[in-house]
Amino acid sequence: PKKGKKQILRIIRELVDIDTTHSGTDLEKALRYFNNVSKKRSTAFLISDFIDEGYQDAMKIISRKHDLVALQVYDKGEATLPNLGLIRTRDQETGEIVTLDTSSKSIREKYAKAFEDRSKTLINTFSQIKGDLVRMSTEEDYIKALLQFFKKRVS
C-alpha cells in the first residue's frame, strides 16, 4: 500500500487487467491474503457483490488491525427476479446452467428473501466490526455514492 497518483493508476491498471477466468468467489481467501501481506495499518477497500459465505470471521480479524471499507455492488436483478416464465440461467460461481420458472411466486419470493438475507448478514457483520459499508446499485451513480461516503467520513 502506498499513497499518490502513481499508486492509484497502478491499482486501476491492475483492476482492468485482472484475470477472471477462474470460477468461484472466495472472499475469505482474499481477506486472509490481504491480512498476511499487509503488515502496516491501512485502509482497505473491498469491492464485491458479497455473494459468498464464510468470510465474516476473516473480516472481523482484518477490522481489528485495518480500516476496512466494503463497497457492495449489486444489480436490481440480484434483488428481485422478474416474472418472465421459464428461463435458463448460468450460475456465475459454478458455471451450472439451471432452468427456473420465474412465473412461480414462491420462487420469486425465495430469490428475493435470499438477497435480503445476504444483505442483512453483510450489514450485521459491518455493524459488529464497526466497519464502513457502502451499498450501491449498478443503476445508481457510483460517484455520488462514494462522495456521500467520503463526506460522511470527514464529518
Side-chain angles (χ1 to χ4, degrees):
K2 296 179 183 175
K3 294 181 182 179
K5 187 176 179 181
K6 281 177 126 178
Q7 178 68 359
I8 292 170
L9 292 173
R10 186 182 143 266
I11 290 170
I12 291 170
R13 200 170 34 254
E14 291 284 333
L15 289 172
V16 168
D17 293 338
I18 197 163
D19 177 20
T20 58
T21 56
H22 76 285
S23 64
T25 298
D26 193 342
L27 285 174
E28 181 189 20
K29 184 177 180 181
L31 290 165
R32 278 188 284 122
Y33 175 80
F34 171 76
N35 198 42
N36 289 335
V37 299
S38 186
K39 301 302 178 196
K40 291 183 182 178
R41 178 169 171 75
S42 60
T43 300
F45 288 85
L46 178 59
I47 305 169
S48 177
D49 57 10
F50 293 92
I51 302 177
D52 194 11
E53 296 176 0
Y55 59 85
Q56 292 83 1
D57 288 341
M59 284 181 23
K60 289 174 186 175
I61 291 168
I62 286 178
S63 71
R64 291 183 197 130
K65 181 178 178 184
H66 302 284
D67 180 14
L68 184 59
V69 179
L71 305 174
Q72 180 193 25
V73 181
Y74 65 92
D75 187 83
K76 185 174 96 174
E78 294 171 13
T80 57
L81 194 60
N83 183 351
L84 301 172
L86 290 175
I87 62 168
R88 285 180 47 147
T89 184
R90 178 187 305 265
D91 183 322
Q92 291 299 312
E93 298 295 315
T94 65
E96 179 184 5
I97 296 176
V98 179
T99 301
L100 293 174
D101 183 3
T102 61
S103 64
S104 167
K105 185 177 179 181
S106 67
I107 287 179
R108 291 193 315 271
E109 287 173 350
K110 285 179 187 175
Y111 188 88
K113 181 158 178 16
F115 177 80
E116 185 179 323
D117 290 347
R118 280 192 310 271
S119 295
K120 283 180 181 177
T121 298
L122 183 62
I123 291 166
N124 289 339
T125 299
F126 271 84
S127 176
Q128 289 173 3
I129 67 173
K130 296 176 180 39
D132 290 309
L133 173 62
V134 180
R135 301 182 71 219
M136 57 184 85
S137 167
T138 55
E139 295 178 346
E140 297 172 8
D141 181 4
Y142 69 92
I143 293 175
K144 183 178 178 182
L146 290 174
L147 285 174
Q148 286 176 335
F149 164 71
F150 286 115
K151 283 180 184 177
K152 185 179 92 174
R153 243 187 156 193
V154 170
S155 46

